[in-house]
Amino acid sequence: MPDGTVACRDGRIVYAGTAGDAPADLEAAEQFDCSGRWITPGLIDCHTHLVHAGDRSHEFELRLRGVSYDEIARADGGILSTMRATRGASEQALVDSALPRLDALIAEGATTVEVKSGYGLNLESERRQLRVARALAQHRPVTIVATFLGAHAVPPEAASADAYIDLVCGQMIPAVAKEGLAETVDAFCEQIGFSAEQTAKVFETARSHGLNVRLHADQLSNSHGAALAARYGALSADHLEYADEAGITAMAAAGVVAVLLPGAFYFLREKMWPPVDLLRRHGVPIALATDCNPGTSPLTSLLLQ
């Protein structure tokens, strides 16, 4: 629009149009000349695994040969592969590797980015990931929302999944909450991740420490994650490829946002599409995010090429 003007007050747009038609009572406290550029609201990427070390490009070749995500994970690949690289990386190295990924998102219009941990799987490495996530906002003009994803996978040193969840709930969440390292807690509720009962324990602990929850739900199977997210009033249930109508109905009643992650769906070549029609029919709010991660949605790597 020639001579276009957008006026904002207290974070809200109060006028958009030509300068000549602007209300007479608009007195600008501050003006910005955009030199004819397009003005648009900033994008929110509400699901990323931006902070990590290592490379899992070989897994894409395996998947092209028909090897499933489940098979790769059970063969000590997947999340555990990135865990080993991330545990061995310094804080500065993690910052240095995350910044180009963040720059790619910013270049596409993102002004708020959620960043998960989950590639440390012990207290020291998880805290380091979260500190790095916080530090990114000191290097770039972007809002960072940090999420603790300790319940992402069972690390090799854990005696069992139950024993590891005891560690997550007994040590990790209290420490993360005390140090103010995260706003939310996430978990991977899946056959190769954690059961609904184990996830519920994580959510109970998070809530007791004043942290909101969100969930990787029903990505690879119907683990009834959507219903679990609704039961705990989660901010969002993410993925949802295998969610059933009962779970979606529960999400609608609880006001849980469905976060769809087409990048991961595309790279994993899953047989099930997210149930978009069901979500719309029941009035569930829908958001889109990149799921930027090294193994199943390397979108920023594509943007950087």
Side-chain angles (χ1 to χ4, degrees), residues 21-66:
D21 292 332
D25 61 350
L26 284 182
E27 295 184 9
E30 192 172 7
Q31 296 186 28
F32 299 92
D33 184 354
C34 297
S35 303
R37 294 181 177 88
W38 182 39
I39 302 173
T40 181
L43 300 179
I44 298 172
D45 194 342
C46 59
H47 184 130
T48 81
H49 303 257
L50 209 64
V51 176
H52 64 264
D55 179 273
R56 279 158 56 191
S57 57
H58 66 286
E59 294 183 9
F60 299 102
E61 181 181 355
L62 291 174
R63 279 197 288 275
L64 288 172
R65 288 196 230 141

Side-chain angles (χ1 to χ4, degrees), residues 161-185:
D162 283 334
Y164 179 64
I165 289 297
D166 288 342
L167 181 67
V168 168
C169 295
Q171 293 185 25
M172 293 189 186
I173 291 177
V176 166
K178 182 178 180 180
E179 296 175 32
L181 291 174
E183 287 82 17
T184 57
V185 171

Side-chain angles (χ1 to χ4, degrees), residues 47-246:
H47 184 130
T48 81
H49 303 257
L50 209 64
V51 176
H52 64 264
D55 179 273
R56 279 158 56 191
S57 57
H58 66 286
E59 294 183 9
F60 299 102
E61 181 181 355
L62 291 174
R63 279 197 288 275
L64 288 172
R65 288 196 230 141
V67 182
S68 71
Y69 181 74
D70 191 331
E71 291 170 318
I72 291 171
R74 295 187 189 280
D76 210 25
I79 294 166
L80 295 184
S81 173
T82 302
M83 176 210 73
R84 290 187 288 273
T86 302
R87 283 185 178 183
S90 69
E91 204 157 315
Q92 187 59 54
L94 290 173
V95 170
D96 291 343
S97 63
L99 283 174
R101 302 176 195 125
L102 180 60
D103 286 340
L105 295 180
I106 292 172
E108 294 297 315
T111 56
T112 298
V113 178
E114 185 260 11
V115 180
K116 303 179 191 296
S117 64
Y119 290 131
L121 306 184
N122 61 33
L123 180 56
E124 176 188 356
S125 300
E126 289 289 308
R127 289 166 70 192
R128 183 162 65 248
Q129 273 195 278
L130 291 169
R131 287 196 300 268
V132 169
R134 293 285 198 218
L136 296 178
Q138 300 171 17
H139 293 273
R140 297 293 186 269
V142 66
T143 299
I144 297 292
V145 176
T147 296
F148 171 65
L149 181 56
H152 199 193
V154 181
E157 69 271 13
S160 66
D162 283 334
Y164 179 64
I165 289 297
D166 288 342
L167 181 67
V168 168
C169 295
Q171 293 185 25
M172 293 189 186
I173 291 177
V176 166
K178 182 178 180 180
E179 296 175 32
L181 291 174
E183 287 82 17
T184 57
V185 171
D186 198 346
F188 186 29
C189 184
E190 191 55 70
Q191 292 175 353
I192 59 171
F194 299 95
S195 70
E197 292 74 19
Q198 290 163 340
T199 302
K201 185 174 182 179
V202 171
F203 281 4
E204 294 279 0
T205 305
R207 282 300 183 79
S208 72
H209 286 83
L211 298 170
N212 287 317
V213 298
R214 60 199 336 141
L215 186 62
H216 283 61
D218 302 327
Q219 179 186 9
L220 306 174
S221 65
N222 182 9
S223 302
H224 305 292
L228 181 67
R231 191 194 323 160
Y232 284 92
L235 297 179
S236 69
D238 303 22
H239 289 290
L240 298 171
E241 281 87 340
Y242 288 82
D244 58 24
E245 188 162 9

Side-chain angles (χ1 to χ4, degrees), residues 240-281:
L240 298 171
E241 281 87 340
Y242 288 82
D244 58 24
E245 188 162 9
I248 290 170
T249 301
M251 286 176 59
V256 178
V257 175
V259 177
L260 305 185
L261 304 163
F265 175 84
Y266 172 79
F267 281 101
L268 283 177
R269 298 168 177 260
E270 276 298 308
K271 297 176 182 178
M272 293 286 287
W273 289 90
V276 176
D277 289 342
L278 274 177
L279 293 167
R280 288 174 173 164
R281 187 184 313 154

